Amino acid sequence: MTALALVTGIVVACGVYLLLQRRLLSVILGLGLLATGANLVVFAAGGLRAVPAFIDAAGTPAAGHADPLPQALVLTAIVIGFAMMAFALALALRAYRHLGDDDLPSWRDTEPPLEAHDEHVPDPRPEESAAEPRRPSTMRLPVMPPTEDER
Amino acid sequence: MDPLLCLLLLPLLPLIAAVLQPWGGRWGATAGVVASLASVSCALVLLSADQITTWAQPWVPSLGIELRLRADAFALFMCLVVSGAGAAVTAYAGGYFAGDPGRPRVIGLLLAFQSAMLVLVLADNLWLLFVCWEVTSVLSFLLIAHDGTPAQRTAAKRALLITGGGGLALMGAFALMMAATGTATLSEFTTPLHDHPWYGWILGLALIGCATKSALFPFHFWLPGAMAAPTPVSAYLHAATMVKAGVFLLARLHPALGGSTEWQLILSVMAAFTVAFSVAAMPRCDDLKLMLAYSTLTALGIIAALLALESEQGALAAVVMILAHALYKGALFLTVGSIDHGTGTRDLRRLHGLFRYMPLTAIAGLLGAASLAGLPPWSGFIAKEQAKLAAIGVGWLTPMTLFVGGIGVTAAAVCVAYGPWHHDRRRPALPAHESPWSLTIPALALALAGLAVGLAMPWVGEHLLQPAAAAIAGESVAEVLEPFPTTPGKIVMTLVVLGVGIVLALARRRVAGWTRHLDLRLAARAWDAGMEWSLAVGRAVTRVLHSGDLRTYVSVALLAMVAAAGVGLASSQSLPRPPVDPLPFTSLPILLLVAVAAIGAASAPHRLSAIACLGAVGYGVALLFVWYGAPDLALTQVLAETLLLLLLVMAFRHLPTAFGARRDRRWWNLGLALVVGASVAYVTALAKGNQLSESIGGEIAARSLVEGFGRNVVNVILVDMRALDTLGEIVVLAIAGAGVAAMAGSGTPQDRPLARSLLLSTSLRVLLPLLALTGMFFYWRGHNAPGGGFAGGLLLASGIVLAGIALGAGVARRLLPLGDPTKREAGALRLAAAGLGLAACSGIPGMFTGGVFLTPLWGEFAGLKLGTPLLFDLGVMVLVSGVAAGVVLSLAEAEPQEPHS
C-alpha cells in the first residue's frame, strides 16, 4: 500500500516534470504519465486485495475480494486516457504544422497581446457629450457604422 | 369583463405586442399603442371592481417563489401611469425612429419594458418583483445603447452596473426579509420589522436597491448620463416609469421597514442631498434635455422626502406627484425630442423663436412647463400644494427640501418655457420645421392630460389618488385639494415661488457662476475611477496569470492543487501518519519496474527511448492490476497501452527529432515535480485509512448476481448499476474520436503499407479473423469473467490497426463495416455513432416497464440469460472499436508534411 503510494508519487512527479518542459513531445508524454498516475491514485485509494471481485459457483462473492467500484472507475478512465492522448497528439500535430515550432514558449505569440487591450481610451463622459446621434430631419437615419471602429 | 382575465391581460398585452414587432412593419407602433391602451382599460376595469383581484400560481414552490399578482389601488394607479405613458411614448417612437432599421427592436424593447414594469408593480411576491426589477435594468441597458455610440455605451454600462448592483443589494434584503418572517408574499408584510436583529441590514440593503433605481443620492449620477439615450427612451424610462420603481418599492416596503427613526432620517437626508445637488446643477445646463433630467432628480428627491414622512398626507402627496410628474415630464421630454428633431440642437444658447415654426409642439411644451412650474389649475400645482400640506410641522429638513426643490423646478420650467419659444431679434432664425403628427399628438396628449387631471381633480382624487394613497398608508386619507389656490396666503406663496423661479431663470448664467466651484461630476468621476481601478487590477492579474506560456498555467494549477491539499492537512489536529504495511516483497519487482521506467521516461535523451519507457510504465501498471485482483483493468490497460504506443510512434514521425530537456528553469521544474509527487504519494497513502464512509463495493458485489445476473462485478457496475456514467464516458470517447478525425483529417487515403512485411501481410489472413473472434469472445464472456465491451472493442480495433500497418490505412478502412469509400473518416465515425446509438437505445425498453432510463430488462431465451445490459455492452464495444481504430488510422494517414515557415 505505502509502497504503491510511493510509486504513484514517482509516476506523477515524472509526469509533472515532463509537463513542465518546453518540448511538445515531452509535454504529451508527461500527460500520459499523469493519466497513469491518476488511475493509480484511484486504484490505490480503494484499498488493495489480491482476490478479484467475482461471484463464485456458490453464488456468493469471493471471500476478501477487492473493491470493484474503483476498478470500474479506472477501467473507463484507461480508455478515456487513451482517447485523450489521441486528441492531444492530433492537436499537437495540427499546432506544429501551423506554427512550425515545437518549442512551447515560442507559441506565446499566438495569443493576442494583452497590450492591445492596454491602450486604454478613456470613454467619453456622457454628461459632456450627451447628444444622441443626429437624426436628420428627413428621418432617414443612416445605418450606424460598426461601433468598435470608433474607438 | 372578468377581473381575473383583466389582471392577466394587463401585463400580457404589451408583451404580445412586443413579440410581434419583428413582423409588425409600419403597423408595429400602432399595435403597441393599441395594446397599451387595452392595458389601460384593463386597469380601469380592475379599478372599478369592488374588491382587490389577486392571482397566484406556484413557480418554484420549494423556494417560496410564486407568480402572485395583486391589483390593489396603488398597483393599478401605477399601471395606469405605466401604460398611459407607454401608449404615448410608443406612438411617438413610431414616428421618431421612422426610417431607422432598428425601429422594431426599440419599440419591441419599449413594450417589453412596459410589460415588465406592469408585473413589477402588480407583483405580490418578493421574488417575482425582483425578477421584473432586474429585467427592467437589462432592458434599460439595451434601450440606452440603442444607437451604440461611445457615449451611449458608457452611459448604458454605468446605468446597468449601478442598477444591477442595487438589484443584488435588493436580493440580499429580500432574502433576509424572507428568512426573518418566513413569507415572500409582499402583502403579508404588515408588521414592522424594527425589533428584528437583522433590521439594520435589511433596511440598508433595501435602501441601496431603491436608491440606485430611483437615482437618489449617492447613486444619482447615472441618470444625467443616461440622457445619451434616444429621447423617447429617456421620456419613458428615465422620467415617467423606471426611475419611479425605486420610490414605488419604498412605498410598498414601508409597512415592513418604515416607522423607525433610521428610515425617516436616512431617507430624508438622501432626498435632501438629491434635491440640493440637482437644483445646484440645473442652472449650469445648456442642454435642454439634461436640465429636464436634473429636474427629474429633484422630483424623485421630493417623492422620497414625502415618503419619509410616513403620514397620510405624505403618501397622498407622493401619489399626486408621481402622476403629475409622469404627465408633464413625459410631455416635456417628447417636446425636446421634437425640437432636437426639428432644429438639430437642444442647446438653450442657440434655440429661440421656434414658436412660429412648431406651434403644436410649442403648445405641448408650454402646457407641460406650466404644470412643472406648479401653476393652477394644472396637476403640478396640486402636487405642490399637497406636498406643502404634508410638510407642515415636520421639522425643518423636509420643508427646506420641498421649498428648494419647488424653486428649482420652477426655474427649470421658466427656462424650458422661455428658451426655445421666445423670439430674439438679434439672432438669426434657426432653420426649423414642425414635426409630423406622430410626434406632436403624443406630446400634446400627455400635456393636456396633465391639465385635465388638474381640472377634474376632486373626482380623480376620489376615485384614483385617494384609494392609491390609502393602499400605501394603510388607512383612508384626507381629500385631494382643489386645483385653485383658495386662500390669499396660498396665492401669495405661489406667486413668490414663481417670482423667485423667474428671477433665477433669468439670472441663470450668474447663478451658474456661483456654483462653479462645486464639482457636479465628483460622484460620477469617483465611480469611473473605481471602475478603471478594477479594470487595472484585472489587467495586472491577467498579465501575471495569462502569460501565454503553458508552463505558467500548469505551474499555477499544480501549486493550487498542492496548496488545497496542504490547507486540508494543516486544518487537521495532528499530521496523520500513513499506515505502514509489511513490504509486499512479491510485488516489489513490479513496483520497481514502474518507478524506474517512469524516471527513465522523464530523463530519456531520445524520443524512442522515452516512448519505450512510457510503454514499460503502462505494462508494469497492467501487471500491478493483475497482482491486486483487477484482471479486467489489466486486460484493458495492456490493449490501450499497445494502441497508445502505436499512436505515439505514428504521430512522432511528423515532429522534430530533437529531444531532451532544455536547461532552463530546471530546478524549478524538478522542485515542483517533487512537491507535487510527494503530496500525491502522501494523500494516496492516507486515503484508504481515512474513508468518510464504508465503501459500497461489498454491497454491490452481494447484489451483482442476484440483481444484475453477472458474476463479474466490475462489468455489472459498468453496464448495469452505473450504466448512465458509462454512457457519459463513451460520449466523451465519441467526441474525442470526432475531434481527432477533424484535426488530423488533411491526409488522403493511403493504400501504401506502413511496414512492408510479407510475413505480417500473410499471417494477417489468419490473425485478423482470430482477433475479431477473440474480441467478440471477450465481449460475450465479459459479464461473468474478465473481458467486456471495452476490452473487446480495443481488441477489434487492434486487428484493424494491424491491417492498416500491413496493408495500408485505406485498406484497413474498407474493412470497417458501415464504411463509405468516398469519405475517408466516415467508417470509423459511423461505427462509433452506431455504438453510441445502440448503447443509448438499450436504455429505452426499461422505461416501458415503469423504470427510469437504462433500467435493465432480462429474460430467458433457450436457456440463455439475455438482457438489455448485454446490448449496452455491445454498443460500448462497437463504439470503442470505432473510436480506437479511427484515431490510430487518422494519425497514420496524417501527411508527413513540413511546417510552412
Side-chain angles (χ1 to χ4, degrees):
Chain A
M1 178 73 210
T2 322
L4 180 56
L6 199 64
V7 171
T8 306
I10 291 173
V11 172
V12 169
C14 293
V16 169
Y17 182 76
L18 282 172
L19 202 61
L20 289 169
Q21 299 300 313
R22 294 174 62 155
R23 293 264 187 218
L24 193 53
L25 308 188
S26 307
V27 172
I28 290 172
L29 290 180
L31 211 55
L33 276 184
L34 269 187
T36 309
N39 288 346
L40 280 177
V41 170
V42 177
F43 186 68
L48 300 177
R49 306 268 177 78
V51 184
F54 282 93
I55 315 293
D56 57 19
T60 51
H65 65 84
D67 191 341
L69 197 60
Q71 292 192 12
L73 297 180
V74 171
L75 199 148
T76 48
I78 292 170
V79 185
I80 287 194
F82 164 74
M84 178 198 71
M85 287 293 280
F87 192 85
L89 278 170
L91 196 62
L93 279 187
R94 186 94 177 186
Y96 174 63
R97 263 188 219 156
H98 271 272
L99 301 171
D101 199 339
D102 71 329
D103 187 34
L104 285 177
S106 73
W107 289 13
R108 207 180 294 206
D109 306 332
T110 57
E111 302 207 20
L114 196 62
E115 282 63 36
H117 306 284
D118 274 2
E119 293 168 18
H120 187 67
V121 184
D123 291 326
R125 299 280 166 265
E127 291 85 0
E128 288 155 15
S129 56
E132 60 180 286
R134 283 287 312 120
R135 286 173 212 288
S137 51
T138 53
M139 282 295 184
R140 294 273 168 248
L141 189 85
V143 180
M144 283 302 135
T147 50
E148 284 307 317
D149 302 347
E150 292 168 15
R151 303 203 136 187
Chain B
M1 215 166 133
D2 182 25
L4 192 60
L5 186 63
C6 280
L7 180 61
L8 293 178
L9 283 179
L10 179 58
L12 217 51
L13 286 171
L15 188 64
I16 293 170
V19 172
L20 292 178
Q21 284 304 313
W23 302 277
R26 52 199 292 260
W27 295 103
T30 315
V33 174
V34 170
S36 305
L37 290 177
S39 282
V40 168
S41 43
C42 283
L44 289 175
V45 169
L46 285 170
L47 203 59
S48 65
D50 294 332
Q51 74 239 17
I52 295 174
T53 312
T54 56
W55 176 79
Q57 184 73 34
W59 187 3
V60 190
S62 55
L63 298 177
I65 302 177
E66 236 184 338
L67 296 173
R68 179 182 274 275
L69 301 181
R70 184 171 185 275
D72 69 355
F74 185 43
L76 290 171
F77 163 75
M78 289 301 291
C79 287
L80 285 178
V81 171
V82 169
S83 282
V89 170
T90 309
Y92 186 88
Y96 192 82
F97 293 101
D100 182 344
R103 183 169 76 163
R105 176 181 177 273
V106 73
I107 292 181
L109 287 176
L110 280 171
L111 288 166
F113 174 87
Q114 183 183 340
S115 177
M117 194 71 202
L118 289 171
V119 181
L120 191 157
V121 297
L122 287 169
D124 195 26
N125 181 283
L126 290 179
W127 300 113
L128 180 60
L129 193 153
F130 173 74
V131 168
C132 294
W133 186 276
E134 295 291 316
V135 169
T136 56
S137 292
V138 173
L139 289 174
S140 160
F141 169 79
L142 294 173
L143 281 166
I144 294 175
H146 171 69
D147 298 300
T149 62
Q152 284 186 345
R153 283 208 303 264
T154 313
K157 263 189 292 185
R158 198 192 277 167
L160 181 68
L161 282 173
I162 294 174
T163 53
L168 280 182
L170 194 66
M171 185 166 86
F174 283 178
L176 287 176
M177 281 169 74
M178 198 174 152
T181 62
T183 179
T185 304
L186 201 50
S187 54
E188 286 172 13
F189 286 96
T190 46
T191 47
L193 292 170
H194 321 148
D195 301 328
H196 200 277
W198 299 341
Y199 177 67
W201 285 103
I202 298 176
L203 181 67
L205 291 171
L207 282 181
I208 290 176
C210 294
T212 50
K213 200 77 165 180
S214 275
L216 295 178
F217 183 87
F219 305 106
H220 54 277
F221 53 90
W222 72 261
L223 186 59
M227 290 305 121
T231 301
V233 173
S234 302
Y236 195 44
L237 270 64
H238 307 127
T241 55
M242 187 181 84
V243 289
K244 303 280 172 55
V247 285
F248 165 82
L249 190 62
L250 284 177
R252 272 280 186 247
L253 291 179
H254 114 268
L257 301 182
S260 67
T261 330
E262 295 96 324
W263 168 278
Q264 294 175 351
L265 190 69
I266 298 175
L267 204 51
S268 49
V269 168
M270 277 163 67
F273 270 105
T274 312
V275 168
F277 168 82
S278 57
V279 170
M282 254 184 275
R284 300 215 325 220
C285 299
D286 290 321
D287 181 353
L288 213 46
K289 191 175 172 188
L290 199 56
M291 183 179 273
L292 287 179
Y294 280 114
S295 80
T296 303
L297 277 185
T298 317
L300 291 168
I302 288 175
I303 296 172
L306 291 170
L307 288 172
L309 296 176
E310 298 193 279
S311 62
E312 302 155 26
Q313 289 291 355
L316 184 56
V319 168
V320 182
M321 187 76 192
I322 288 175
L323 177 61
H325 179 259
L327 293 176
Y328 67 66
K329 202 52 68 67
L332 287 174
F333 265 109
L334 299 188
T335 310
V336 169
S338 292
I339 294 175
D340 194 7
H341 158 231
T343 64
T345 181
R346 304 188 306 237
D347 194 331
L348 270 175
R349 289 166 299 190
R350 293 184 56 204
L351 290 172
H352 76 105
L354 295 180
F355 193 97
R356 70 176 114 162
Y357 299 114
M358 356 182 29
L360 288 175
T361 310
I363 291 170
L366 289 172
L367 288 174
S371 191
L372 175 64
L375 295 182
W378 273 270
S379 51
F381 169 76
I382 300 163
K384 209 174 261 187
E385 289 301 306
Q386 289 291 155
K388 272 186 224 156
L389 202 59
I392 293 170
V394 290
W396 58 273
L397 184 60
T398 305
M400 273 301 286
T401 307
L402 296 179
F403 183 70
V404 171
I407 290 180
V409 293
T410 309
V414 174
C415 288
V416 173
Y418 183 71
W421 313 122
H422 79 285
H423 183 64
D424 188 345
R425 286 169 194 283
R426 290 164 296 177
R427 287 188 282 175
L430 282 170
H433 62 88
E434 180 60 293
S435 308
W437 290 105
S438 53
L439 266 60
T440 50
I441 288 183
L444 268 175
L446 284 179
L448 285 172
L451 178 62
V453 165
L455 287 173
M457 194 35 103
W459 188 83
V460 173
E462 191 184 327
H463 289 94
L464 179 65
L465 303 177
Q466 278 160 244
I472 301 176
E475 45 209 309
S476 61
V477 293
E479 286 199 4
V480 182
L481 293 171
E482 293 284 322
F484 298 99
T486 43
T487 60
K490 284 187 182 174
I491 298 174
V492 172
M493 193 67 187
T494 306
L495 288 176
V496 166
V497 171
L498 188 62
V500 177
I502 290 175
V503 170
L504 274 182
L506 292 178
R508 188 169 71 87
R509 300 251 128 241
R510 180 163 297 185
V511 176
W514 296 342
T515 59
R516 69 177 177 277
H517 296 299
L518 193 67
D519 189 356
L520 294 180
R521 285 198 282 276
L522 188 65
R525 272 222 303 277
W527 172 269
D528 289 339
M531 285 294 121
E532 266 163 40
W533 180 81
S534 73
L535 283 178
V537 170
R539 275 196 294 273
V541 171
T542 309
R543 199 173 289 127
V544 173
L545 293 183
H546 194 92
S547 66
D549 190 343
L550 180 69
R551 293 175 300 172
T552 317
Y553 306 153
V554 171
S555 302
V556 169
L558 290 172
L559 282 175
M561 186 188 88
V562 173
V567 167
L569 287 173
S571 60
S572 60
Q573 264 80 28
S574 59
L575 216 54
R577 286 175 62 83
V580 179
D581 46 7
L583 209 55
F585 279 109
T586 37
S587 69
L588 200 59
I590 312 174
L591 289 173
L592 268 179
L593 164 75
V594 172
V596 168
I599 294 171
S603 57
H606 304 293
R607 53 185 196 167
L608 268 178
S609 47
I611 295 174
C613 285
L614 187 74
V617 172
Y619 291 126
V621 168
L623 281 178
L624 277 178
F625 287 151
V626 173
W627 194 260
Y628 288 115
D632 277 304
L633 298 199
L635 205 56
T636 315
Q637 174 80 22
V638 165
L639 291 167
E641 198 64 34
T642 309
L643 286 174
L644 177 63
L645 290 180
L646 275 172
L647 209 60
L648 285 169
V649 170
M650 283 173 185
F652 279 22
R653 290 180 304 158
H654 306 320
L655 290 173
T657 47
F659 192 70
R662 290 187 188 172
R663 309 211 165 233
D664 64 335
R665 298 202 199 172
R666 190 154 182 227
W667 294 107
W668 164 256
N669 294 350
L670 205 56
L672 186 58
L674 286 178
V675 168
V676 174
S679 49
V680 167
Y682 185 62
V683 170
T684 310
L686 284 180
K688 181 59 186 168
N690 290 279
Q691 282 180 342
L692 293 175
S693 58
E694 192 54 38
S695 169
I696 57 169
E699 176 74 18
I700 290 177
R703 291 192 186 189
S704 172
L705 185 61
V706 189
E707 295 178 20
F709 306 103
R711 292 174 186 275
N712 181 354
V713 184
V714 174
N715 188 266
V716 172
I717 294 176
L718 284 174
V719 301
D720 184 344
M721 297 185 180
R722 308 285 307 161
L724 196 61
D725 285 356
T726 313
L727 188 64
E729 275 148 0
I730 60 177
V731 168
V732 173
L733 287 180
I735 293 171
V740 171
M743 282 191 293
S746 61
T748 45
Q750 290 184 4
D751 289 344
R752 191 167 53 83
L754 288 172
R756 208 176 285 279
S757 156
L758 189 61
L759 189 63
L760 189 59
S761 51
T762 314
S763 60
L764 208 59
R765 291 173 197 284
V766 185
L767 221 46
L768 207 53
L770 205 59
L771 279 171
L773 274 177
T774 318
M776 309 239 184
F777 175 63
F778 270 11
Y779 152 71
W780 180 247
R781 75 199 285 260
H783 213 51
N784 292 310
F790 282 101
L794 287 173
L795 204 58
L796 288 182
S798 50
I800 303 288
V801 169
L802 202 58
I805 292 173
L807 307 172
V811 181
R813 280 188 189 283
R814 284 195 282 278
L815 290 174
L816 292 174
L818 302 176
D820 178 350
T822 59
K823 298 203 180 83
R824 206 171 57 83
E825 298 299 339
L829 280 183
R830 280 185 194 177
L831 208 55
L836 192 59
L838 184 58
C841 289
S842 77
I844 294 176
M847 295 166 75
F848 291 107
T849 58
V852 294
F853 182 56
L854 286 171
T855 305
L857 278 185
W858 289 93
E860 288 257 356
F861 300 97
L864 273 177
K865 196 87 182 159
L866 296 177
T868 51
L870 297 183
L871 273 182
F872 183 86
D873 212 13
L874 184 63
V876 170
M877 179 177 77
V878 172
L879 176 133
V880 169
S881 65
V883 169
V887 296
V888 179
L889 292 182
S890 290
L891 285 178
E893 283 173 344
E895 293 279 337
Q897 146 189 353
E898 282 304 304
H900 64 244
S901 70

